[in-house]
Amino acid sequence: MSVSPISRISVILGDITQQQVDAIVNAANPSLLGGGGVDGAIHRAAGPELLEECRALGGCETGEAKITKGYRLPARFVIHTVGPVWRGGGHGEDNLLASCYRKSLALAESHGVTTVAFPAISTGAYGFPLARATLIAIKTVIEHLSHSPAITKVVFVCHGDQALRMYHDAIRELVHEPPYAPENSGGKIQDRDRTSYDITPDIYEQVAGQLRMIEIVHGIRLVNRDALAETIAGVVKDRGQASVATAAINSWVAVNSIHGETEIAEDVIARILRHATGR
Ligand code: APR
């Protein structure tokens, strides 16, 4: 069983040039000849050979990605992508930013890369609103990972507390996402007779993924997460009830200021399942 997308994602505070991953992604400009921000940091850490290789690439379109060696960086590769300059949101900026993440991951896979680190593309000099950019980043990467088992780890490297908070907010928003619309119903849950509702096979996957999001957002570790996912998936009737249960767990963690490693007690789980299933 492939590991759920969210279980392969982490969000950290740090410097992308220090990351021990197969490839780091650079927020470059169309010339690919270096610049300030993360572009400058990567070129400084990689050394002059990086610029030499970039010269031969002939530039890069916005939303596209090109790959080079990592030279003096811990990472074997640098994937250079050019994010959109924010011009108010009416010039396809969202799609271009999503394309940066998709094209970078596709390029990583085609080079046998399994672990990738991203900066918050376009949110510095290019002025893309951070909250909007982080939501696009998380959603696009989760979507890509859902059909790509080859990528085993994606790290979002935040260069400041504000970005860290925004990524956590984006994940929190996804935890509370309304019940998934099952692929086979064309997304119209209300059009279906609930008694004949097809429970898609990976309720466990959904619950495990949402529990992982809760761990990331709250910086905790649920020591009984897999068993908890199995218990919930075995009791709830559908994805909607599963989302109600995990949202209740999310609230329980927040209200009780849980931190570090924790095991949710059986009576709490029972109470949450009664709440989610109505019985
Ligand atoms: N590690 C991780 N993230 C970093 C680092 C670092 N060492 N340095 C900067 N960042 C973060 C910034 O805080 C910001 O959140 O990277 C994000 C992207 O900011 P920029 O580097 O300014 O990139 P971008 O907004 O995409 O603008 C690209 O800036 O540097 C030039 O040549 C580049 O013209 C291009 C433009």
Side-chain angles (χ1 to χ4, degrees):
M1 176 170 59
S2 70
V3 177
S4 73
I6 191 64
S7 300
R8 290 179 267 163
I9 285 175
S10 53
V11 180
I12 64 167
L13 204 53
D15 177 348
I16 199 164
T17 65
Q18 311 293 316
Q19 299 310 309
Q20 307 283 339
V21 290
D22 293 343
I24 63 171
V25 176
N26 180 22
N29 62 56
S31 74
L32 293 186
L33 299 181
V38 72
D39 196 1
I42 289 173
H43 274 272
R44 280 192 299 278
E49 301 96 328
L50 178 61
L51 183 57
E52 282 319 302
E53 188 174 355
C54 284
R55 281 193 209 288
L57 292 178
C60 181
E61 296 289 315
T62 299
E64 295 298 325
K66 293 192 176 178
I67 194 166
T68 64
K69 291 194 282 293
Y71 298 104
R72 300 176 198 170
L73 287 161
R76 277 192 298 136
F77 296 103
V78 180
I79 293 173
H80 307 263
T81 191
V82 180
V85 175
W86 179 254
R87 293 188 290 156
H91 300 79
E93 294 97 321
D94 289 3
N95 290 336
L96 284 168
L97 183 61
S99 174
C100 288
Y101 288 95
R102 267 196 296 273
K103 293 287 176 79
S104 296
L105 288 173
L107 196 54
E109 282 172 67
S110 64
H111 285 73
V113 165
T114 59
T115 58
V116 184
F118 281 101
I121 300 166
S122 279
T123 65
Y126 281 4
F128 207 109
L130 191 55
R132 190 183 182 115
T134 50
L135 197 56
I136 290 169
I138 294 279
K139 283 195 167 187
T140 307
V141 168
I142 284 181
E143 197 179 87
H144 186 97
L145 293 183
S146 64
H147 54 74
S148 162
I151 302 284
T152 58
K153 181 167 97 169
V154 173
V155 185
F156 291 100
V157 184
C158 302
H159 208 49
D161 289 328
Q162 193 194 10
L164 190 69
R165 264 197 321 278
M166 292 295 170
Y167 275 111
H168 284 169
D169 289 349
I171 290 173
R172 189 178 286 114
E173 192 169 319
L174 290 176
V175 168
H176 287 296
E177 199 160 57
Y180 292 79
E183 294 69 29
N184 56 5
S185 75
K188 296 188 180 59
I189 292 182
Q190 64 277 12
D191 292 345
R192 298 179 60 81
D193 163 2
R194 302 289 289 185
T195 53
S196 66
Y197 185 68
D198 301 327
I199 289 189
T200 46
D202 50 359
I203 291 243
Y204 170 82
E205 277 290 291
Q206 174 198 324
V207 173
Q210 288 178 332
L211 291 178
R212 174 67 185 132
M213 285 186 203
I214 292 168
E215 287 183 317
I216 294 175
V217 166
H218 297 282
I220 62 170
R221 198 173 85 75
L222 296 169
V223 291
N224 58 338
R225 186 183 79 199
D226 293 345
L228 186 52
E230 265 172 40
T231 302
I232 294 171
V235 171
V236 296
K237 184 161 68 77
D238 56 31
R239 287 177 168 235
Q241 288 188 358
S243 285
V244 170
T246 50
I249 289 173
N250 187 51
S251 306
W252 179 82
V253 169
V255 163
N256 292 283
S257 310
I258 302 293
H259 54 271
E261 288 200 353
T262 190
E263 181 156 355
I264 303 182
E266 285 190 13
D267 63 319
V268 173
I269 296 170
R271 207 167 53 241
I272 285 172
L273 286 172
R274 280 197 298 276
H275 163 68
T277 60
R279 57 178 195 272

